[in-house]
Amino acid sequence: MKIRAIKGSELEKTIIKMRDQLLKEENEAKEMIKEYCGYMPDSIGYQWALGMTAAFSCNIISFNDPDIKPNNLVPNNSYTDRLIWRPTQRTKDGKEFIRQWNRKFQGINGDVLSEFGIPVMHEKTGIYCHWLPLEDEDGYYLSVGSSLLDRMPSSKSDQFFIEV
């Protein structure tokens, strides 16, 4: 489901800021991996929890070229459908890389979205919702699970409209 920001709204400005942070951190993460292993990754997975999203994970690194054998990375055997890499935790360099990564990439905090009537955490149940700030040809929006709609106090807003 998409919660699309109305052009010129405060929510749009907030989503733009979040989207810019996401892209900036993704590029920084890719550069950090390239410096560490010698290859630029094609994609990096992310995690979400406790109202945060886009916390890039150094344990979900992929390269489109299957012949790449990156230095200092080992296969992440948690994934069987595609070769995914992660830093090894058995070396001093690997432990330091992971420590620096975790300090640097904390994700995007969604608390501000509640000011616009979008609860990334339902106060009564404590249930968190996955969300991600995105952009397409029609503008900026939040990609959210449809269950969020059940927990929203109102789907009427001058800040957004909902596309199902």
Side-chain angles (χ1 to χ4, degrees), residues 5 55 75 78 114 121 123 129 138:
S78 300
S114 64
M121 187 207 61
E123 290 181 17
C129 176
D138 296 326

Side-chain angles (χ1 to χ4, degrees), residues 6 16 27 89 141:
I6 293 174
I16 289 170
N27 289 333
Q89 297 177 358
Y141 65 95

Side-chain angles (χ1 to χ4, degrees), residues 9 17 40 60-61 75 79 83 93 107 136 139-140 149:
S9 66
K17 184 178 172 184
M40 180 68 78
I60 311 172
I61 301 167
Y79 298 88
L83 184 56
D93 287 345
D136 63 16
Y140 292 89
L149 194 56

Side-chain angles (χ1 to χ4, degrees), residues 122-142:
H122 189 250
E123 290 181 17
K124 291 181 182 174
T125 63
I127 295 172
Y128 286 91
C129 176
H130 175 266
W131 61 278
L132 196 62
L134 298 172
E135 176 187 16
D136 63 16
E137 62 279 349
D138 296 326
Y140 292 89
Y141 65 95
L142 295 172

Side-chain angles (χ1 to χ4, degrees), residues 76-93:
N76 183 337
N77 295 325
S78 300
Y79 298 88
T80 57
D81 58 331
R82 182 174 181 187
L83 184 56
I84 302 295
W85 299 88
R86 65 175 178 77
T88 181
Q89 297 177 358
R90 294 182 181 196
T91 65
K92 184 178 177 183
D93 287 345

Side-chain angles (χ1 to χ4, degrees), residues 42 62-70 82-83 85:
D42 292 298
S62 68
F63 304 92
N64 287 342
D65 183 349
D67 295 329
I68 288 178
K69 304 289 186 250
R82 182 174 181 187
L83 184 56
W85 299 88

Side-chain angles (χ1 to χ4, degrees), residues 102-121:
N102 290 336
R103 261 186 264 139
K104 185 170 180 112
F105 301 110
Q106 299 289 314
I108 303 169
N109 190 331
D111 289 345
V112 68
L113 297 174
S114 64
E115 296 172 18
F116 302 102
I118 304 168
V120 296
M121 187 207 61

